[in-house]
Amino acid sequence: MNTGGATPGSDEELMLDFKAGDAAAFETLYMKHRAGVFNFIYQFLREDADTSEEHLQEVFLKVIHSAPRYRPKAKFTTWLYQIARNHCIDMARKRRFRRTTSLDRPGDGQDESLLERRFGDPSPSPERRAYLLEARASITSAVDDLPSEQREVFLMREVSGIPFQEIADIVGCPLNTVKSRMRYALERIQKHLSDAGIGGNEVMEHAMS
Amino acid sequence: MRCHDVDSSLVAYLYDELSEEQKGQVEAHIGACPECAAKVGSFQGTRRSLAAMECVEPSAIADQRIIIRAREAAANTSRPGLLRWLFVPSTAGLVMTGFAVVVGFVLFLRTPLSEGPAGGPGTMTAGADRSTMPVDVPEAKIVMAEAERAAMEESVPPTAAMPAPALRMASRKSAYDPARALFERGKEIPSRENPFDAIDAFMHAIEADPQGRYAPSSLYEIAKIYNNLGDYKCSAETLEMLRRDYPDYQGMPEVYAMHSEICRKLGKYDEADESFKDLVVEFPDHDQLIDGVFVDYSGNR
């Protein structure tokens, strides 16, 4: 039952259905957006997968607990990523006050199954695998070095696939500011990769051959 | 379109957020301007490099946790307000336990006690012969309580199912243990027909008491269900979680054996050998380890 005037079949309608007690509507929403949100959290905070899953759970628990008060004033993804972004900012802020930080960097090319899954090759040659792992490590380092306002824009666009206008609504900035931040982020990553000798065409050749 | 316009449209062009008309104008310009073409090309190359970026997915266990919470919230939404709290397992358990305590206390107060030399009516003295007590509800309750305690204190093998009648008596008469009740419910659900309902029940059991004895058993059952579904990755992840979080689990030999088997199915032969080596080193005298081979309860090697 949808009383909010949302477009039929839309995320907003699903959320309203969940508000009315339809658990299956939430499951549809969750399965649609979980990967994007999870990757955003994972790449933004750079913690291990288990901790990232806890953050994912906290974000969606906030969605669940906020359901009784939900009104589709903005797009569902705008609201969802605002919750995710605010959560990540809080976590990053708390982490700054920790005395020690873990030296373990997650995903430094250790998860071969994910790499293999992404490129659809169950058994890449050792040379290809080594190159791709090195490329991944360089990209990880480059993204980590981005200022947080560029990193969040970059991750939302590149990893989560959120359009620029929506990112502008999420972070509360003008559209041109968001595009500028994305431009600067790409330039920094480009320089980092170039310094590491990683080229886009080579990555694709190793991935696809 | 001029170079300045292409530059300001660059990011939108890269991510395909221009209208068809604008896109056409950009492409017409870069076709005629080598500098802009080189700039666009270099950014496109950077984007291609990002194909190596790590792409991760949450585990099935994480998905289940969130979905279960959503189902609980939706169930609370659809039930009448005053009765809503009765359907939350932990709350219902507290209510039932409280009710049982009150009833038991009232019955206890109403029971006449045998008279003894040192006290007045209603006084139980040391050494009072229980056989002189009236045989009524309190006597029967004492006998049953002792039987219940004995039943509960028996160690439960990781996968053995308790006989149904004893199970029901223990769960009805003893203090309500939501984790146990949920675990038993999970075991009763035919997992081949309703695997996710069974997983739900086991997940609830874990959440009801994450440090209790039914949490690792529940994880083991979940791993078996995923294995039967052919989702070996989820099964392996579940077993790894079990090994990490419950190192003292009684059924660890079976966990090692299953993990080894599943790693083989996933083609992770080194990990499979590691798990089997752990089994042989830590449990060399296990009765299912025969001549260096793990034989399961069905006699399969």
Side-chain angles (χ1 to χ4, degrees):
Chain A
M1 185 177 67
N2 173 7
T3 59
T7 309
S10 64
D11 289 347
E12 294 73 35
E13 188 194 39
L14 287 170
M15 191 62 202
L16 287 171
D17 287 344
F18 174 58
K19 179 181 174 181
D22 182 357
F26 177 86
E27 288 181 44
T28 304
L29 271 176
Y30 173 72
M31 294 310 290
K32 184 177 171 187
H33 295 289
R34 71 195 246 289
V37 174
F38 184 65
N39 275 286
F40 174 76
I41 293 170
Y42 182 72
Q43 297 285 357
F44 189 93
L45 291 174
R46 300 305 298 163
E47 290 175 332
D48 60 84
D50 285 346
T51 309
S52 300
E53 283 183 357
E54 287 173 14
H55 292 310
L56 178 75
Q57 185 170 350
E58 287 182 43
V59 166
F60 276 96
L61 281 179
K62 285 178 188 167
V63 170
I64 290 167
H65 293 150
S66 301
R69 299 180 299 280
Y70 176 75
R71 282 192 198 83
K73 287 187 282 193
K75 284 194 71 177
F76 171 78
T77 40
T78 302
W79 180 60
L80 173 63
Y81 277 88
Q82 275 173 338
I83 294 173
R85 174 188 179 250
N86 290 341
H87 179 82
C88 288
I89 290 171
D90 286 344
M91 291 299 113
R93 195 175 291 140
K94 284 177 189 166
R95 206 166 53 185
R96 261 181 245 133
F97 290 102
R98 282 191 211 151
R99 294 235 172 130
T100 57
T101 51
S102 169
L103 295 176
D104 293 329
R105 297 293 290 272
D108 285 338
Q110 298 305 312
D111 197 331
E112 293 174 20
S113 68
L114 285 172
L115 187 66
E116 288 153 11
R117 257 200 301 167
R118 187 177 173 96
F119 295 109
D121 184 345
S123 56
S125 69
E127 294 78 18
R128 281 181 54 220
R129 191 162 57 204
Y131 183 83
L132 290 170
L133 291 175
E134 189 189 338
R136 176 189 286 181
S138 285
I139 292 167
T140 302
S141 174
V143 173
D144 283 353
D145 285 344
L146 293 174
S148 61
E149 66 271 11
Q150 290 177 18
R151 188 163 75 247
E152 66 180 0
V153 170
F154 170 77
L155 291 175
M156 279 194 218
R157 191 63 192 86
E158 182 63 42
V159 167
S160 303
I162 309 289
F164 288 121
Q165 180 58 63
E166 213 176 312
I167 296 175
D169 294 336
I170 291 166
V171 305
C173 283
L175 176 61
N176 285 339
T177 304
V178 165
K179 288 181 180 176
S180 295
R181 289 180 184 174
M182 187 69 183
R183 169 77 176 258
Y184 294 140
L186 286 172
E187 285 173 352
R188 287 175 79 121
I189 292 171
Q190 192 176 56
K191 181 167 188 323
H192 195 110
L193 294 180
S194 169
D195 292 346
I198 305 291
N201 291 332
E202 288 159 309
V203 169
M204 292 307 287
E205 277 166 20
H206 281 82
M208 297 304 189
S209 63
Chain B
M1 193 173 259
R2 296 168 298 165
C3 296
H4 171 75
D5 298 318
V6 170
D7 193 76
S8 60
S9 304
L10 180 62
V11 165
Y13 175 72
L14 282 174
Y15 287 90
D16 202 21
E17 290 196 17
L18 292 177
S19 66
E20 285 303 313
E21 186 188 346
Q22 290 168 319
K23 187 174 161 186
Q25 289 172 351
V26 167
E27 287 174 349
H29 179 89
I30 60 179
C33 177
E35 276 183 24
C36 287
K39 192 188 298 183
V40 171
S42 73
F43 277 103
Q44 286 173 329
T46 301
R47 278 212 73 203
R48 282 194 291 274
S49 300
L50 296 174
M53 225 173 142
E54 191 177 8
C55 183
V56 291
E57 286 213 352
S59 65
I61 298 276
D63 289 343
Q64 284 298 316
R65 280 201 195 109
I66 293 166
I67 288 170
I68 284 166
R69 292 295 179 93
R71 287 178 185 171
E72 285 174 356
N76 289 339
T77 302
S78 58
R79 290 199 174 98
L82 284 177
L83 296 174
R84 199 173 292 173
W85 56 276
L86 274 178
F87 292 92
V88 177
S90 55
T91 309
L94 280 172
V95 168
M96 287 165 62
T97 304
F99 184 69
V101 166
V102 168
V103 168
F105 186 65
V106 167
L107 288 171
F108 174 74
L109 286 178
R110 290 180 57 199
T111 305
L113 299 173
S114 60
E115 294 180 32
T123 304
M124 175 90 100
T125 58
D129 184 357
R130 192 177 276 178
S131 66
T132 65
M133 288 172 64
V135 179
D136 61 7
V137 172
E139 169 77 14
K141 274 184 171 298
I142 290 167
V143 170
M144 284 176 111
E146 285 170 350
E148 292 152 21
R149 265 197 301 279
M152 284 182 71
E153 284 165 9
E154 277 177 22
S155 66
V156 178
T159 57
M162 288 176 68
L167 190 68
R168 280 196 285 277
M169 184 172 79
S171 61
R172 233 197 341 263
K173 298 295 182 178
S174 62
Y176 181 68
D177 181 351
R180 179 179 184 160
L182 290 160
F183 176 78
E184 289 161 6
R185 191 166 88 202
K187 292 286 285 177
E188 286 168 9
I189 294 171
S191 61
R192 291 200 186 266
E193 287 84 15
N194 300 304
F196 292 106
D197 287 344
I199 290 174
D200 272 357
F202 290 125
M203 289 293 304
H204 274 297
I206 296 167
E207 290 182 356
D209 188 3
Q211 303 306 320
R213 60 204 262 185
Y214 295 100
S217 299
S218 296
L219 279 176
Y220 182 70
E221 295 299 322
I222 290 170
K224 280 185 355 187
I225 294 171
Y226 278 126
N227 186 28
N228 292 337
L229 287 171
D231 193 337
Y232 304 126
K233 189 170 185 292
C234 277
S235 186
E237 281 177 2
T238 308
L239 292 171
E240 282 151 22
M241 189 185 302
L242 201 168
R243 287 174 59 168
R244 186 189 64 228
D245 295 345
Y246 303 96
D248 299 325
Y249 175 52
Q250 282 180 319
M252 200 54 81
E254 285 81 3
V255 173
Y256 284 151
M258 192 195 293
H259 188 255
S260 177
E261 177 199 332
I262 285 167
C263 285
R264 274 185 212 291
K265 290 177 183 175
L266 288 168
K268 295 184 176 180
Y269 301 108
D270 290 344
E271 285 186 44
D273 288 342
E274 278 280 332
S275 285
F276 196 78
K277 206 188 311 179
D278 289 341
L279 167 62
V280 171
V281 165
E282 292 182 37
F283 304 98
D285 300 322
H286 194 273
D287 58 10
Q288 285 168 265
L289 202 56
I290 300 171
D291 298 332
V293 177
F294 191 85
V295 178
D296 68 19
Y297 290 109
S298 311
N300 296 322
R301 298 163 71 85

